[in-house]
Amino acid sequence: MEGLFIPSASAVADSVFLTAAIGLVPLVAFFVLLGVFKLATHWCALGALAISALSAVVFFGMPASLVGLSALQGLTFGIAPILYIVVAAVWLYNLSVASGWANDVRTVFSALGRGDQRVQALLVAFSFGALLEGLAGFGAPVAIVGAMLVMLGLPPLKAAMVTMVGNALSVGFGAMGIPTTTAGRLADSTGTDVALIASALTPWIAILVPFLILGILDGSRGIRQLWHVAFAQGLTMGLGHFFTVRVLTYELAAVLAGLFSFIVAVGVVRMVHIAPVAQWQSKEVLSLPPMRNIILGFLPYLLVVVVFGVAKLWRIGIDIPALLASTEIAIEWPGLYGRLGTANGEVSQAAVYNLQWLSSPGTLIVVTVLIVAAVYSAVSTPERQMTMGRAFGVFGETLRQLSWSLVTIALVMALAYVMNFSGQTTAIGTALATTGSVFAFLSPLLGWVGTAVTGSATSSNALFANLQASAAHGVGVDPNVFVAANNVGGGIGKIVSPQNLAIAATAVGGQTSEAEILRKVAPWSVGLILFLGVLTTLASLGWLPFV
């Protein structure tokens, strides 16, 4: 088609590897500016965007007008749905704090964790976070969990670290399985087939994550004292993924696994003796508050479960998921659609922006906020005052709190779209895919890179799922193995995603920087992705059970 720009994975000197090296420059620049020069994240993102745009024009041959339009579409996607969801989620949390009812949540977790903040971190960061990830995703669980851990008394840096590490495993099944659904669709498979393999990979990692959380918090002492809680919680999470996918549906894998692991961990805590450690003892009273207080304290989270459950699953009498989805508006991005092509010369559908309003997780959270605000206003007391006017005042405070983080997230999405549409990210993936049988070990790294760049496992799967399937066919492996590895690896990549780092830093009150969090969590992310590479290699050889 005349005037159609087709990204090439060998645009530079007809070399895949040289092209991939050039494609990596914006990412390297971002992390160097962030980790070495310690610039504010929004400046790092802006610098990387400028480098990527220049590279797209000079090395990848993309017309400057298309580069600008790509960045604009990415910026828009960053605003809606991503920023919409983040703002709504933080608003919901801030409302619970401003009302005073969040104090009862802290007391409940303290009581269930027998006053040990390490146990509380396990319950909140791993199990409760998985439940939130399964329902909402898109950064909302990181925002809520990070803030809740600080409220429970954890140091901000450690709260951010365990939030990031604890969240990673559930990302592939997040937002009612959207990343998995996307991976299956784009790999010419099904979400269920991908989930069957993914849920055979995740249990091996699930067993490790609670131990990592304890190690981050309290080193060998924490692992030695709480190994039984960590093991039971991790095992239940892994089995929850495995059996939910096979017995029910993969859309509920993170939700039910998180719920079951929470219940089992609390049960183990009640049965075993935990040696008290003064450093980690909560200042809260260990007795549970009155049931009314518990219900009102947990109301925001209970309602999130109900609202998302109805919106995603209710099909009795009226198909609510279909009804909400019917309100989505597909917009062929002006000036870009019809001028951006795929490798086979067809018009790329990536230039179609899907505007979600009623179906957006952000809207569902806003509905939850309004219900919670109305209830809190109705039960307002002099000690716990809330009005609808005050609730909207909290919204304004939330926007001010998130201002620079919102700028960062929008710029990162603009960077991702320029890299994706110009062929920079595809070049990186293609270079990795040329490694033949070694690709089984490197396969998860594609998902890791994709999510590290975009902040979204869904975007990573959209970018690399077909490439993973093609590479699998080339080396004679079941395509779903590599696609599932991309899905799980994407969740691990979210640990170092700039977008997620910004959300985590903001959630813990801005008392630690994105650069500091990155330096602390990067080794854990790298270690997990290497372990997943080993698991994927075993799966590709048929040596991993149930694959």
Side-chain angles (χ1 to χ4, degrees):
M1 180 180 293
E2 187 177 354
L4 194 67
F5 170 73
I6 299 177
S8 171
S10 56
V12 182
D14 202 30
S15 168
V16 170
F17 296 103
L18 184 56
T19 306
I22 297 295
L24 274 171
V25 171
L27 295 182
V28 173
F30 182 97
F31 289 113
V32 169
L33 291 173
L34 180 62
V36 178
F37 293 96
K38 301 179 182 178
L39 295 181
T41 316
H42 54 276
W43 291 119
C44 299
L46 185 61
L49 174 59
I51 294 171
S52 178
L54 182 63
S55 178
V57 174
V58 175
F59 295 106
F60 289 81
M62 190 178 199
S65 60
L66 297 190
V67 173
L69 290 168
S70 299
L72 185 59
Q73 184 180 346
L75 197 71
T76 305
F77 182 77
I79 294 171
I82 294 176
L83 295 188
Y84 181 27
I85 296 168
V86 171
V87 170
V90 178
W91 183 20
L92 176 64
Y93 170 76
N94 286 347
L95 182 66
S96 69
V97 172
S99 69
W101 292 105
N103 294 328
D104 293 293
V105 175
R106 182 170 65 245
T107 303
V108 168
F109 276 112
S110 181
L112 293 178
R114 290 193 168 180
D116 192 312
Q117 293 173 337
R118 299 168 300 175
V119 176
Q120 295 166 17
L122 287 175
L123 296 176
V124 176
F126 194 49
S127 296
F128 187 62
L131 186 149
L132 292 176
E133 182 68 44
L135 290 169
F138 294 99
V142 170
I144 293 173
V145 168
M148 183 178 287
L149 289 176
V150 171
M151 179 183 69
L152 288 168
L154 263 67
L157 178 58
K158 288 188 179 292
M161 290 174 65
V162 299
T163 295
M164 302 282 276
V165 173
N167 172 253
L169 192 64
S170 301
V171 170
F173 293 117
M176 306 304 291
I178 288 177
T180 304
T181 301
T182 301
R185 184 171 67 246
L186 294 182
D188 197 24
S189 181
T190 67
T192 299
D193 288 338
V194 173
L196 287 170
I197 304 296
S199 62
L201 294 172
T202 55
W204 304 96
I205 303 174
I207 292 176
L208 294 179
V209 173
F211 289 96
L212 298 184
I213 291 174
L214 290 176
I216 290 171
L217 290 176
D218 197 30
S220 60
R221 179 179 62 183
I223 295 173
R224 186 175 62 255
Q225 293 184 340
L226 296 170
W227 68 268
H228 28 50
V229 181
F231 179 75
Q233 185 185 31
L235 180 64
T236 308
M237 179 73 77
L239 293 177
H241 286 171
F242 186 85
F243 285 107
T244 301
V245 169
R246 285 158 178 77
V247 177
L248 296 173
T249 171
Y250 69 87
E251 284 93 341
L252 289 175
V255 175
L256 294 182
L259 180 60
F260 293 150
S261 65
F262 185 96
I263 294 171
V264 168
V266 168
V268 173
V269 169
R270 309 310 288 182
M271 290 188 296
V272 301
H273 171 71
I274 300 174
V277 178
Q279 176 188 355
W280 295 106
Q281 283 300 299
S282 171
K283 296 180 177 61
E284 296 297 320
V285 179
L286 297 186
S287 60
L288 289 171
M291 183 56 66
R292 176 177 183 272
N293 292 39
I294 295 175
I295 293 174
L296 289 171
F298 279 92
L299 181 64
Y301 312 110
L302 295 172
L303 274 178
V304 162
V305 173
V306 173
V307 171
F308 272 86
V310 170
K312 300 293 185 179
L313 301 174
W314 189 276
R315 291 183 171 86
I316 300 175
I318 180 171
D319 191 334
I320 291 182
L323 178 63
L324 294 178
S326 68
T327 67
E328 297 175 4
I329 303 172
I331 302 172
E332 297 176 352
W333 201 257
L336 186 61
Y337 184 81
R339 296 179 63 193
L340 183 68
T342 62
N344 58 10
E346 297 178 354
V347 172
S348 174
Q349 297 304 306
V352 177
Y353 170 69
N354 188 39
L355 176 62
Q356 297 177 313
W357 54 296
L358 288 183
S359 62
S360 170
T363 300
L364 300 180
I365 298 174
V366 168
V367 170
T368 304
V369 169
L370 296 177
I371 297 173
V372 170
V375 173
Y376 282 172
S377 298
V379 298
S380 181
T381 66
E383 296 78 23
R384 305 190 184 205
Q385 295 183 13
M386 180 55 61
T387 64
M388 293 302 292
R390 173 61 180 140
F392 284 100
V394 172
F395 174 72
E397 295 167 7
T398 301
L399 288 179
R400 288 190 292 274
Q401 171 192 353
L402 295 175
S403 55
W404 284 115
S405 297
L406 301 182
V407 172
T408 298
I409 294 169
L411 288 173
V412 167
M413 290 311 303
L415 166 65
Y417 270 62
V418 171
M419 290 189 66
N420 292 351
F421 288 179
S422 65
Q424 294 172 51
T425 315
T426 303
I428 299 170
T430 303
L432 288 173
T434 61
T435 56
S437 58
V438 180
F439 183 73
F441 180 77
L442 299 177
S443 172
L445 190 60
L446 274 182
W448 187 90
V449 170
T451 305
V453 175
T454 66
S456 165
T458 301
S459 298
S460 178
N461 287 338
L463 184 63
F464 291 133
N466 188 55
L467 177 62
Q468 295 275 14
S470 299
H473 284 300
V475 296
V477 174
D478 178 1
N480 290 310
V481 172
F482 287 177
V483 176
N486 193 90
N487 192 36
V488 180
I492 297 173
K494 201 160 188 178
I495 295 175
V496 294
S497 162
Q499 181 189 127
N500 226 31
L501 288 168
I503 294 171
T506 302
V508 298
Q511 300 178 56
T512 185
S513 68
E514 292 94 332
E516 188 176 15
I517 299 171
L518 174 62
R519 286 195 299 273
K520 293 291 187 178
V521 299
W524 301 104
S525 182
V526 171
L528 286 173
I529 200 64
L530 293 177
F531 180 57
L532 180 57
V534 173
L535 293 176
T536 306
T537 301
L538 295 175
S540 70
L541 296 172
W543 295 350
L544 197 70
F546 306 107
V547 174

